[in-house]
Amino acid sequence: MGVLGGGGSIITLPVLLYVARIEPKPAVGMALAIVGSTSAVGSYLHARHGNFYWRAAVYFGAAGVVGSYFGSTFTHFLPSRVLVMLFALIMLIAGSLMLTRRTGGDAIPHHVHPPCSMQRFLATGFGVGCLSGF
């Protein structure tokens, strides 16, 4: 995934669906496990170099796990075809935003951590988790 510059389930899920020929509902769970484990390895490697913001990761990650569990409970109410179409729609929206949005300012150096709002990271983590789990 990193070699292609993509990440997460944007690459993993289509590979599981169309290359490995796995049914959509189990592929979603597998994609979460794959992305989660590769993220854990990447986090560990960055942490070794002091380039990891632990406080933000704990808040965001914990809320994301809860949100993922919550979001995954709703996949059983929709047919697989609808789930795949929703995923494609989200991919199109994300791709469009990446192409049209411009970022302002310089990157924050790895040794400087921005202020961490617990409420912001919990809410964002939960929302991302819900969407990922769904």
Side-chain angles (χ1 to χ4, degrees):
M1 289 180 282
V3 171
L4 298 174
S9 58
I10 295 295
I11 301 293
T12 307
L13 189 58
V15 168
L16 291 173
L17 290 173
Y18 301 113
V19 176
R21 304 267 185 210
I22 296 172
E23 291 295 316
K25 290 182 182 181
V28 169
M30 292 173 73
L32 285 172
I34 291 166
V35 171
S37 60
T38 57
S39 296
V41 170
S43 298
Y44 169 74
L45 295 174
H46 278 282
R48 286 185 16 193
H49 298 303
N51 189 19
F52 193 80
Y53 193 14
W54 284 103
R55 188 172 175 204
V58 169
Y59 293 159
F60 188 89
V65 167
V66 173
S68 179
Y69 177 78
F70 182 74
S72 69
T73 60
F74 294 104
T75 60
H76 306 290
F77 298 116
L78 294 175
S80 296
R81 182 180 210 141
V82 173
L83 287 174
V84 172
M85 289 190 324
L86 287 172
F87 181 76
L89 178 65
I90 291 169
M91 284 177 41
L92 288 171
I93 292 169
S96 298
L97 291 173
M98 289 170 58
L99 291 173
T100 59
R101 285 198 177 164
R102 296 180 189 256
T103 58
D106 295 326
I108 298 171
H110 75 276
H111 63 281
V112 176
H113 299 299
C116 180
S117 163
M118 183 171 75
Q119 293 84 5
R120 187 173 123 211
F121 280 107
L122 288 173
T124 306
F126 184 78
V128 169
C130 283
L131 187 61
S132 298
F134 185 71

